[in-house]
Structure formats: structure tokens, C-alpha cells
Amino acid sequence: QQQVKQSPQSLIVQKGGISIINCAYENTAFDYFPWYQQFPGKGPALLIAIRPDVSEKKEGRFTISFNKSAKQFSLHIMDSQPGDSATYFCAAMVSNSGYALNFGKGTSLLVTP
Amino acid sequence: GAGVSQTPSNKVTEKGKYVELRCDPISGHTALYWYRQSLGQGPEFLIYFQGTGAADDSGLPNDRFFAVRPEGSVSTLKIQRTERGDSAVYLCASSILGGTGGANTGELFFGEGSRLTVL
């Protein structure tokens, strides 16, 4: 079953706008929440990640907001650029567990000029 | 620098044939993962190796799928009696440390995948 649920499936944002992608999980043992970015024909690449001891992490234009009680986390892309157009995957795992990363189904982001 | 290398990049085969997909991880990475990505979907976990042993193979869909990593480096995913439903991009990823026994940052470095088409 899908352990990480991601929405929306697709998103269109104008250049300069804010892109927001949401994820929810059920397994309270998850303690590592990365976001991966994937361009067509390429493998996913780590964008930014957060652990549940903080509620927010920012790296440049990318911010993860984490709500432990709601078991939700989101990716915010500020000042979205056409080069940000890609598919974004949230993921979750139990670190040091011997288990692998569980991915959401992805969000296809298109940033229009 | 050398990343994760996967071969072939594309493979077209007929239903019922046998297929091997190869992954060469980043040097020094002890953990190796195989994922399968269908069109419009997220990567789906198949199997995870820590060194030479399969630490978790719970994602393999059935006994037609098998993977090996005999020397703890290169891995081969083997699919017997291929079916049309096996068509997907097979992604390999590696990480410095994985699972138990060490600090697992969770950062997986992915290859570009092997696109398998079963006719």
C-alpha cells in the first residue's frame, strides 16, 4: 500500500510564484523525509530533506514545512522558475532500520514564463 | 565524477524472454537499491543490498525477479519469463551507508535507469 500520499498530481505555476506540494504519511516510525527532483530521462536527485525534530528547513528557494502531529509535510518553492519544471517526489523512511525509502507518486510541476 | 551507471539504458524484449539489467554503484557505497518506476508513478522499492547480501527483498513482485551483488559492488537484476506488465524504468541507487549499523542519511544517488519494454 502507498505509505506516502502526495498531492497534487500536477501543478502549473507562473514564473515568480510559489509552488506548494503536500505529502502525508501514516507510519509514525518514519524519521527522515526527503524530497527528490526528477527531470525527464534522469534519475531522481535529492533536493532537500528534514528530520522530525524541526518544523521547517530552508535551502535557498526551497523550504520544507513539517507538521509531526498531523503527519504531514510540504515543499514550498519560492520565486518559481521555468528551470524548476520537473517531477517532485516526497519520500519517507525509518533511518537505521534496514528498510528503504518509500516514495509518493510524484507531482509534475510546470512553471510558465 | 562517476555516478551510478546502469546498462543497458534501453532494452526491448519479447514476452517470455529473460532479461538482465546491470548497475554499477558509486565506488565505496555499501548500500545498493533497485526500484521500478512505471509511467507517472513514483519509484517502487524492489530490493536493497547491504554489501553482498540482500537485506530486504520484500519489494520483488514475484519469483520471476531476482537480483545479485556477488562482490558487494556491481549488481544485476534478473527477470525471467518477462511479461508486458514488467515494462517500466528500472532504477538503481546507491548510498554510503544504509540500514542498520550506521548513520543513514537516506540520500540515495540514482542512476538514469534502464527502460525495459516487453512486447
Side-chain angles (χ1 to χ4, degrees):
Chain A
Q1 69 279 17
Q2 196 76 25
Q3 297 204 47
V4 182
K5 295 185 179 180
Q6 184 172 347
S7 63
Q9 188 175 359
S10 62
L11 183 61
I12 301 175
V13 173
Q14 281 195 326
K15 178 182 176 181
I18 302 173
S19 304
I20 302 174
I21 305 170
N22 301 297
C23 280
Y25 64 97
E26 286 299 323
N27 187 347
T28 55
F30 287 151
D31 61 356
Y32 178 72
F33 304 88
W35 285 88
Y36 278 75
Q37 180 188 55
Q38 186 177 30
F39 293 103
K42 303 294 185 182
L46 180 66
L47 186 64
I48 186 172
I50 197 169
R51 294 194 182 270
D53 52 344
V54 297
S55 60
E56 186 175 281
K57 183 173 182 180
K58 184 176 181 180
E59 290 184 2
R61 296 184 295 108
F62 301 92
T63 300
I64 300 179
S65 296
F66 185 80
N67 186 330
K68 188 173 181 179
S69 61
K71 292 185 286 186
Q72 296 176 346
F73 59 110
S74 60
L75 175 69
H76 295 232
I77 306 175
M78 311 301 287
D79 187 26
S80 299
Q81 299 296 312
D84 297 331
S85 298
T87 301
Y88 293 81
F89 296 97
C90 61
M93 72 180 293
V94 181
S95 57
N96 297 326
S97 67
Y99 294 107
L101 211 49
N102 299 278
F103 285 86
K105 290 191 174 184
T107 296
S108 178
L109 171 64
L110 176 64
V111 181
T112 59
Chain B
V4 176
S5 176
Q6 291 189 246
T7 55
S9 56
N10 277 287
K11 175 70 177 179
V12 180
T13 191
E14 293 180 342
K15 179 184 172 182
K17 298 291 187 181
Y18 170 80
V19 167
E20 286 191 354
L21 306 176
R22 175 190 166 105
C23 173
D24 199 343
I26 294 172
S27 178
H29 281 194
T30 58
L32 185 146
Y33 305 81
W34 283 100
Y35 282 82
R36 177 169 69 177
Q37 187 173 26
S38 300
L39 191 64
Q41 300 294 314
E44 172 194 13
F45 170 71
L46 295 177
I47 186 170
Y48 153 56
F49 287 91
Q50 182 65 277
T52 60
D56 182 1
D57 64 357
S58 62
L60 295 177
N62 51 59
D63 61 5
R64 295 186 299 105
F65 288 76
F66 189 70
V68 296
R69 193 185 185 200
E71 298 178 357
S73 179
V74 171
S75 176
T76 304
L77 178 65
K78 308 180 180 190
I79 310 174
Q80 298 178 321
R81 304 183 304 280
T82 52
E83 298 177 357
R84 293 193 180 87
D86 299 335
S87 297
V89 175
Y90 289 81
L91 293 166
C92 177
S94 67
S95 66
I96 294 174
L97 287 171
T100 58
N104 185 353
T105 67
E107 180 169 9
L108 272 58
F109 295 83
F110 282 88
E112 294 192 346
S114 292
R115 179 176 298 278
L116 174 65
T117 303
V118 182
L119 301 177

